[in-house]
Amino acid sequence: MVNKQIGSAAEAVADIPDGATVMMGGFGRAGQPVELIDALLEHGAKDLVVVNNNAGNGTTGLAALIGAGQVRKMICSFPRQKDSQIFDERYLAGDIELEVVPQGNLAERIRAAGAGVGAFFTPTGYGTMLAEGKETRHIDGRDYVLEYPIKADFALIKALKSDRWGNLVYRKTARNFGPIMAAAATTAIAQVDDVVPLGELDPEAVITPGIYVDRVLELPRNAPAADNIAATATAGSGSTAATAGSAATAGKAL
Amino acid sequence: MVNKQIGSAAEAVADIPDGATVMMGGFGRAGQPVELIDALLEHGAKDLVVVNNNAGNGTTGLAALIGAGQVRKMICSFPRQKDSQIFDERYLAGDIELEVVPQGNLAERIRAAGAGVGAFFTPTGYGTMLAEGKETRHIDGRDYVLEYPIKADFALIKALKSDRWGNLVYRKTARNFGPIMAAAATTAIAQVDDVVPLGELDPEAVITPGIYVDRVLELPRNAPAADNIAATATAGSGSTAATAGSAATAGKAL
Amino acid sequence: MKLSRNEIAERLAADFPDGAIVNLGIGLPTLAADYLPEDREIILHTENGMLGMGRAAAEDEIDEDLINAGKIPVTEPAGASYFHHADSFAMMRGGHIDYCVLGGYQVSVTGDLANWHTGAADAIPAVGGAMDLAIGAKHVYVMMNLFTKNGDCKIVEQCTYPLTGIGTVERVYTDMALFEIVDGQLRVLEIFADMDLAALQEAMGVQLLDGLVAA
Amino acid sequence: MKLSRNEIAERLAADFPDGAIVNLGIGLPTLAADYLPEDREIILHTENGMLGMGRAAAEDEIDEDLINAGKIPVTEPAGASYFHHADSFAMMRGGHIDYCVLGGYQVSVTGDLANWHTGAADAIPAVGGAMDLAIGAKHVYVMMNLFTKNGDCKIVEQCTYPLTGIGTVERVYTDMALFEIVDGQLRVLEIFADMDLAALQEAMGVQLLDGLVAA
């Protein structure tokens, strides 16, 4: 029987090795797998290549990971923000590599990795410094740049609900990079608010079929007050919060 | 106010000119826009390039269009079937051109057209006669063939429901080529069982956002017996059936 | 007299026809959302995966899963739909968005756009979706002040800042005038500032064609 | 003794591990669906846009919107999901399907597959999803009789029919024996026919390595 549910955030990321390429979903807070990123921080894997739309905000999550010196290279579209000071500092000190990719090329390169496309010609960026040194071609009246897939060893994403097969549904604009990152990574790990019994998700509305998902971690968002306190108290460790989450659903027939 | 609903199949296809490239959704009967194809037959546009997974079955729909000599060229993955006799005859007589494309390359080329991708490297077909004369490249340990987008002037597709903006939801495996063909065509025409008021479709389950759809034709599938008889009686003409469909929903607040 | 930021936004918003699908870039262009004509249905696209995006969320409507490209909470009106990032940018790249409005550092007289990078050696490059929008929409509009605080004209013969897109800008809505670029030629459609075409041309230092409609 | 079509299907189906995601090609391979081990969850993919596909539909379950790649009505069990054709073939091409099973005209000793075209001058070419499956799945299995009705061995030094994919076949399940191709070498894993390795090799006319497990 297939059951992709895993008990804790710590367990979910335990086998991410030094040097891994890790995709992280999210656009702003929406869809950000906060607890999984925190677990990766605690896990301590180093020399990581991280793929995300940004390069961390404030002092938590990806920013903390960069601050801890665990990230060798960022691949993203928009590193510089009001509160990206940790990345900015590291970057200007020459401590971290940066590959800036136009957001749509970033998304399409991630999609290409999942879809087995070897490379593709995109009009985005043609003639700009982000296409310098890249192969170009004039096709049917338009100029294009050749871009290659971005694959990952792991993807950390967030969705609304899952079943034990790993089928995922998302919520509003929190969907963003989740589906394409799940497909582009060898091992995709999804944190979800709720793991529901098989058959409860509408087959027409499943956005990420379970084939792309390897591990599912349930972390109830709207848990009763007591659970919320537990989850907040353990933010940063991840594993205890996750245990609380699993306990909350232990009685469910999956 | 945006309202993409159109009154009849005849009206929906009236501006398809001779020489147009027309995509037709469907895989077998599932998702086949039968009434729109019938209307195109009646409309009489000639010299068409038709993109479909197959090349017509039996003596109706696409097969009838081919039989009537309206199709100059077929682009498809699987023309030869038990009941593709009309195409077979035309093809063997040299009366119709054929471009056979592996099904996944067909789908990806259609997707590329909608997504503004100029060309892409696919591993499918490498080293086979379907890749003869095509550019190839060895990328990261694997061999690929360069394939180009397939665009269309019109797409005829079928979905389950729509709203007046043209947002579409599909039903089961009838989804197949619909979403990518809608995006790849300059003008996409969808026949649906039901046009529902704006806001009634679940935003998480809309598969084809209205941006891709230009015309929506309501043809109730499970209409009351009287309507069904009317629809059957006019099959082949399309326009009367469509009128019946519109009448059935005239009272709705859209 | 010059237009305020809000007045530029209002002037711009008046040009979207009924049913237009519009992407408003982060920053200044977002202001146009407040001036969409009420008698027309303008459908907003946001790069982070939503079509039919609503207005900014009120305090009690804030939902962290429902934000726009500028990460500002928004609402979900009837007719909305969601999609993932690759589908969202396919929508742009594939030419399905009718209008996009971008901010600008510089626009060249032939429609090149520079709006993502000052070129300064110590600047951290960050492009976001600007290049995708610049090449993707059917009509690319720029909204900006015509002159920098230092008095340099931002419509130039050739951009000196790194480019976002080449030959892509169709209209430039500024505080002083409205411009159109057609076939690599810059034309003034309206002057808001209290000056005539000759004075405007002299202030800008680039060749202007007369596209002014007699009042 | 040779295996019947159903027996080949049963032997093949026994090799899918719990949780395997499997695409069964149209025709002969579809038979394997009837023999999936009941104590394992095998998740079927069909190219026309469904994962977690169910068994063939009974008379009163037939739904024209719910069919498999062979256009046969099927059912929708718990856990199913639907997607469009580009997403479905991305699933294959991207290497996400664990196993696919295809019919074969010929398989070469190095794993080339020919199964879509006889090469006859008047044949109408029709490839469907065969080439996508042949290059896409993690494990490509072929299910076929070992000899044609004319007595020609279908495992050959080099395919004479037009190819579907190159060096892609990993196992060949036939009525007479089960073969594995690893690093371009053909190995017999099991012999079902009443003959030994030497006799099988002589009948086939190709070099065979011994991969037989002592009973």
Side-chain angles (χ1 to χ4, degrees):
Chain A
M1 199 184 87
V2 181
N3 189 355
K4 297 179 178 172
Q5 204 171 348
I6 197 161
S8 72
E11 212 181 315
V13 304
D15 61 346
I16 300 183
D18 290 355
T21 296
V22 182
M23 291 179 173
M24 295 178 188
F27 185 92
R29 286 279 300 183
Q32 200 180 124
V34 177
E35 287 80 1
L36 288 174
I37 298 170
D38 285 347
L40 182 56
L41 176 68
E42 175 132 322
H43 168 54
K46 289 186 175 37
D47 210 26
L48 301 173
V49 176
V50 172
V51 183
N52 180 258
N53 189 58
N54 302 113
N57 301 88
T59 56
T60 58
L62 175 54
L65 202 68
I66 293 168
Q70 292 176 237
V71 181
R72 175 174 65 78
K73 178 181 179 180
M74 276 303 315
I75 301 177
C76 65
S77 88
F78 209 75
R80 188 197 62 228
Q81 295 185 281
K82 259 178 262 166
D83 56 354
S84 60
Q85 64 275 9
I86 294 185
F87 171 81
D88 298 357
E89 206 171 283
R90 290 259 161 190
Y91 176 74
L92 295 173
D95 288 343
I96 191 167
E97 289 173 59
L98 171 64
E99 180 177 352
V100 173
V101 184
Q103 197 171 162
N105 286 355
L106 181 67
E108 190 69 11
R109 290 175 64 188
I110 293 169
R111 191 250 172 205
V117 168
F120 61 92
F121 285 101
T122 171
T124 303
Y126 176 83
T128 74
M129 60 180 261
L130 293 186
E132 270 169 24
K134 297 192 173 184
E135 182 175 339
T136 62
R137 191 175 297 199
H138 192 78
I139 301 169
D140 203 13
R142 199 169 191 193
D143 291 306
Y144 294 87
V145 182
L146 187 65
E147 292 283 359
Y148 292 87
I150 301 176
K151 296 179 179 124
D153 301 303
F154 291 85
L156 310 182
I157 65 168
K158 183 178 178 179
L160 178 66
K161 292 183 188 179
S162 170
D163 56 28
R164 63 180 174 80
W165 283 9
N167 289 311
L168 302 181
V169 297
Y170 298 83
R171 187 166 175 276
K172 304 189 186 287
T173 56
R175 186 185 302 188
N176 57 66
F177 287 94
I180 52 174
M181 287 184 169
T186 306
T187 301
I189 309 171
Q191 64 173 75
V192 300
D193 289 5
D194 199 11
V195 178
V196 302
L198 199 71
E200 210 170 87
L201 298 177
D202 176 4
E204 303 287 354
V206 168
I207 300 302
T208 294
I211 190 170
Y212 295 120
V213 178
D214 298 279
R215 297 170 198 164
V216 169
L217 173 68
E218 189 183 48
L219 289 173
R221 185 181 339 201
N222 297 313
D227 280 2
N228 263 343
I229 291 162
T232 308
T234 57
S237 98
S239 85
T240 320
T243 307
S246 298
T249 56
K252 280 191 193 170
L254 301 177
Chain B
M1 199 184 85
V2 181
N3 188 356
K4 297 179 177 172
Q5 203 171 348
I6 197 161
S8 72
E11 213 181 313
V13 304
D15 61 347
I16 299 183
D18 290 354
T21 295
V22 181
M23 291 179 173
M24 295 178 188
F27 185 92
R29 286 279 301 183
Q32 200 180 123
V34 177
E35 287 79 0
L36 288 173
I37 298 171
D38 285 347
L40 182 56
L41 177 69
E42 175 132 321
H43 167 53
K46 289 187 176 33
D47 210 26
L48 301 173
V49 176
V50 172
V51 183
N52 180 259
N53 190 57
N54 301 112
N57 299 89
T59 56
T60 59
L62 175 53
L65 202 67
I66 292 169
Q70 292 176 239
V71 182
R72 174 173 67 78
K73 178 180 178 180
M74 275 302 315
I75 301 176
C76 65
S77 89
F78 210 75
R80 187 197 62 227
Q81 294 185 281
K82 260 178 261 164
D83 56 353
S84 61
Q85 65 274 9
I86 293 184
F87 171 82
D88 297 357
E89 205 172 283
R90 290 261 161 189
Y91 177 74
L92 294 173
D95 288 344
I96 191 167
E97 288 173 60
L98 171 64
E99 180 177 353
V100 174
V101 184
Q103 197 172 157
N105 286 355
L106 182 67
E108 190 68 11
R109 290 175 64 189
I110 294 169
R111 191 250 172 206
V117 168
F120 61 93
F121 285 101
T122 171
T124 303
Y126 177 83
T128 73
M129 60 181 262
L130 293 186
E132 271 169 24
K134 297 191 173 185
E135 182 174 338
T136 62
R137 191 175 296 199
H138 192 79
I139 301 169
D140 203 13
R142 199 170 192 194
D143 291 304
Y144 294 87
V145 182
L146 187 65
E147 293 282 359
Y148 292 86
I150 302 176
K151 295 178 180 126
D153 301 304
F154 290 85
L156 310 182
I157 65 168
K158 182 178 177 179
L160 178 66
K161 291 182 189 180
S162 170
D163 57 28
R164 64 179 173 80
W165 282 9
N167 289 311
L168 301 181
V169 298
Y170 298 83
R171 187 165 175 277
K172 304 189 186 286
T173 57
R175 187 185 301 188
N176 58 67
F177 286 94
I180 51 174
M181 286 183 169
T186 306
T187 302
I189 309 170
Q191 63 173 74
V192 300
D193 289 4
D194 200 11
V195 177
V196 302
L198 198 71
E200 211 170 87
L201 299 177
D202 176 4
E204 303 287 354
V206 168
I207 300 302
T208 295
I211 190 172
Y212 295 120
V213 178
D214 298 279
R215 297 170 198 166
V216 170
L217 173 68
E218 189 182 48
L219 289 173
R221 187 184 335 204
N222 297 314
D227 280 2
N228 263 342
I229 292 161
T232 308
T234 57
S237 100
S239 84
T240 319
T243 306
S246 297
T249 56
K252 281 191 194 171
L254 301 176
Chain C
M1 197 199 79
K2 294 185 199 173
L3 299 189
S4 67
R5 291 156 50 102
N6 286 312
E7 285 166 338
I8 307 175
E10 189 172 4
R11 176 62 196 82
L12 170 62
D15 282 351
F16 300 134
D18 193 25
I21 295 177
V22 176
N23 183 299
L24 300 172
I26 59 176
L28 201 53
T30 302
L31 280 182
D34 294 338
Y35 296 97
L36 299 176
E38 294 199 356
D39 58 339
R40 302 178 211 163
E41 263 185 345
I42 310 294
I43 300 175
L44 296 181
H45 170 266
T46 182
E47 67 189 22
N48 52 319
M50 184 183 192
L51 195 67
M53 182 180 73
R55 57 174 169 69
E59 191 68 32
D60 62 345
E61 293 172 321
I62 289 174
D63 178 338
E64 73 169 14
D65 286 346
L66 183 50
I67 57 175
N68 68 13
K71 292 163 190 172
I72 296 166
V74 293
T75 57
E76 177 194 289
S81 57
Y82 299 102
F83 28 84
H84 63 57
H85 245 80
D87 280 350
S88 183
F89 281 82
M91 227 172 247
M92 295 182 199
R93 198 189 307 107
H96 306 282
I97 310 281
D98 295 318
Y99 298 85
C100 88
V101 185
L102 293 165
Y105 293 161
Q106 291 177 326
V107 176
S108 83
V109 294
T110 56
D112 295 349
L113 172 66
N115 79 342
W116 73 286
H117 196 313
T118 61
D122 64 343
I124 298 174
V127 67
M131 288 186 181
D132 304 276
L133 282 165
I135 60 88
K138 287 177 199 160
H139 306 281
V140 175
Y141 288 179
V142 167
M143 176 173 165
M144 64 182 191
N145 284 331
L146 186 54
F147 290 87
T148 66
K149 284 171 192 164
N150 296 331
D152 298 323
C153 184
K154 294 168 73 176
I155 295 183
V156 294
E157 282 297 331
Q158 261 196 316
C159 296
T160 54
Y161 287 155
L163 293 180
T164 307
I166 297 177
T168 188
V169 178
E170 192 178 303
R171 284 185 167 209
V172 189
Y173 291 78
T174 76
D175 50 344
M176 299 183 66
L178 165 58
F179 303 90
E180 187 174 60
I181 297 165
V182 176
D183 298 329
Q185 292 197 304
L186 180 68
R187 192 180 302 271
V188 191
L189 298 184
E190 294 174 30
I191 299 179
F192 310 123
D194 193 19
M195 48 177 32
D196 64 11
L197 181 64
L200 181 64
Q201 176 166 304
E202 181 163 339
M204 292 176 64
V206 297
Q207 178 72 35
L208 291 180
L209 295 181
D210 185 351
L212 297 169
V213 177
Chain D
M1 196 199 81
K2 294 184 199 171
L3 299 189
S4 67
R5 292 156 50 102
N6 286 314
E7 285 165 338
I8 307 175
E10 188 171 5
R11 176 63 196 81
L12 169 63
D15 282 351
F16 300 135
D18 193 26
I21 294 176
V22 176
N23 183 300
L24 300 172
I26 58 177
L28 200 53
T30 302
L31 280 182
D34 294 338
Y35 296 98
L36 300 177
E38 294 199 356
D39 59 340
R40 302 178 211 162
E41 262 185 345
I42 310 294
I43 300 175
L44 296 181
H45 170 265
T46 182
E47 68 188 22
N48 52 318
M50 183 182 194
L51 195 66
M53 181 180 74
R55 57 175 168 69
E59 191 68 34
D60 62 345
E61 293 172 320
I62 289 173
D63 178 338
E64 74 170 13
D65 285 347
L66 183 49
I67 58 175
N68 68 13
K71 292 163 189 170
I72 296 166
V74 293
T75 57
E76 175 193 289
S81 57
Y82 299 102
F83 28 85
H84 63 57
H85 245 79
D87 280 350
S88 183
F89 281 82
M91 229 171 248
M92 296 182 197
R93 198 189 308 106
H96 306 283
I97 310 281
D98 295 318
Y99 298 86
C100 88
V101 185
L102 293 164
Y105 294 162
Q106 291 177 326
V107 175
S108 82
V109 294
T110 56
D112 295 349
L113 171 66
N115 80 344
W116 73 285
H117 196 314
T118 61
D122 64 342
I124 299 174
V127 68
M131 287 186 182
D132 304 275
L133 282 165
I135 60 89
K138 287 177 198 158
H139 307 282
V140 176
Y141 289 179
V142 167
M143 177 174 165
M144 64 182 192
N145 284 331
L146 187 53
F147 290 87
T148 66
K149 283 172 193 163
N150 296 331
D152 298 324
C153 183
K154 294 167 74 176
I155 295 183
V156 293
E157 282 297 329
Q158 262 196 315
C159 295
T160 54
Y161 288 155
L163 293 180
T164 307
I166 297 177
T168 189
V169 178
E170 192 178 303
R171 285 187 166 209
V172 188
Y173 291 79
T174 75
D175 51 344
M176 298 182 68
L178 165 58
F179 303 89
E180 188 173 59
I181 297 166
V182 177
D183 298 330
Q185 292 196 304
L186 180 69
R187 192 180 302 273
V188 190
L189 298 185
E190 294 174 30
I191 300 180
F192 311 123
D194 193 17
M195 49 178 30
D196 64 11
L197 181 63
L200 181 64
Q201 176 166 305
E202 181 162 341
M204 291 176 65
V206 297
Q207 178 73 35
L208 291 180
L209 296 181
D210 185 352
L212 297 168
V213 179

